[in-house]
Amino acid sequence: MHVIIVGDVVGSRHVQADKWLPVLSDALRRYTKKFDIFRGDSFQAELSPEGCFAFVFYLKARLRSIGPLDIRIGIGVGEIDYQDDSIKNSNGQAFVFSGEAFDALGKDLIAVRSPWTEYDEPVNIMLDLAMELSGKWTVNMAESVATAIENPQANQKELAEILKRKHQSQVSTLLNKAHFAQISKVVDYCTKELIKRC
């Protein structure tokens, strides 16, 4: 089983491309070598089941740390029938599902479509709530979340040093306000349940 995501950057016209485009590219490169950025602010990527949900909130945190940006993402889980060197020329169930999930978003910011409806339903509810919580991130909260995801072994004192904050309590407060612990639980649950099936 493969995971394909398709998404776009919300609010990209209000922030200069030279600020957010390198951030999008860098975030994608951190999680995969197979991606394509097209139509300016749209992207497609193949991600591992282990990293796909972490990527979503990492990308959101990186983008929100530079301005009023957000993401819309459709996640498709399934087979790949034809794999080309370029992801845009590949095809299969995972690609179809990611496109269908993205096209059906409406006002939602994230949706998952897989062969298992019993997986999709609870996961979509949880991800929707997590995206709602992360929609309230300030620049400082988002910066703290991105740094925490980049440095999973770091304690709060070390995170404070990386972020150049005087007190670790500042980082703790920002991560608490960002609901980082709750969002991490959602990411862990969705990932664990997906790996079971893949």
Side-chain angles (χ1 to χ4, degrees):
M1 286 288 171
H2 300 263
V3 179
I4 300 295
I5 64 159
V6 62
D8 63 17
V9 179
V10 179
S12 60
R13 292 178 188 175
H14 305 297
V15 179
Q16 284 183 291
D18 62 355
K19 286 191 175 174
W20 61 262
L21 200 48
V23 170
L24 173 60
S25 298
D26 181 62
L28 283 161
R29 278 194 196 90
R30 183 175 281 271
Y31 283 85
T32 183
K33 290 182 178 140
K34 295 180 181 175
F35 70 89
D36 183 36
I37 298 171
F38 55 96
R39 280 196 338 230
D41 62 359
S42 297
F43 55 92
Q44 186 177 39
E46 181 177 354
L47 298 170
S48 70
E50 294 80 7
C52 62
F53 297 110
F55 165 77
V56 169
F57 291 96
Y58 176 67
L59 175 59
K60 181 161 185 164
R62 288 286 309 274
L63 289 170
R64 288 186 79 86
S65 68
I66 57 170
L69 298 166
D70 214 325
I71 48 172
R72 296 168 70 241
I73 287 188
I75 301 173
V77 183
E79 301 295 343
I80 292 179
D81 302 326
Y82 175 71
Q83 195 140 30
D84 189 81
D85 288 341
S86 169
I87 191 168
K88 63 185 173 190
N89 296 328
S90 301
N91 204 347
Q93 182 186 45
F95 288 91
V96 172
F97 280 173
S98 67
E100 288 176 351
F102 185 79
D103 290 342
L105 281 176
K107 290 184 179 178
D108 293 331
L109 295 175
I110 190 167
V112 177
R113 179 118 194 256
S114 78
W116 316 288
T117 52
E118 75 281 3
Y119 172 78
D120 294 353
E121 194 173 345
V123 159
N124 278 314
I125 291 167
M126 283 185 256
L127 288 171
D128 200 30
L129 288 168
M131 284 295 253
E132 188 72 26
L133 289 173
S134 60
K136 296 174 172 57
W137 288 345
T138 63
V139 168
N140 285 340
M141 284 181 210
E143 194 179 37
S144 300
V145 169
T147 304
I149 294 172
E150 285 172 355
N151 302 277
Q153 306 305 320
N155 61 35
Q156 289 191 349
K157 185 181 177 189
E158 290 164 334
L159 290 176
E161 287 169 10
I162 295 165
L163 287 161
K164 297 180 173 49
R165 301 265 191 262
K166 281 187 180 177
H167 308 288
Q168 74 175 62
S169 60
Q170 290 174 288
V171 176
S172 174
T173 299
L174 287 166
L175 290 175
N176 284 337
K177 284 183 177 176
H179 301 286
F180 182 62
Q182 293 83 353
I183 290 169
S184 295
K185 283 179 186 175
V186 169
V187 167
D188 290 346
Y189 174 84
C190 296
T191 303
K192 186 178 70 178
E193 291 301 312
L194 179 57
I195 291 168
K196 272 186 200 173
R197 290 164 169 82
C198 289

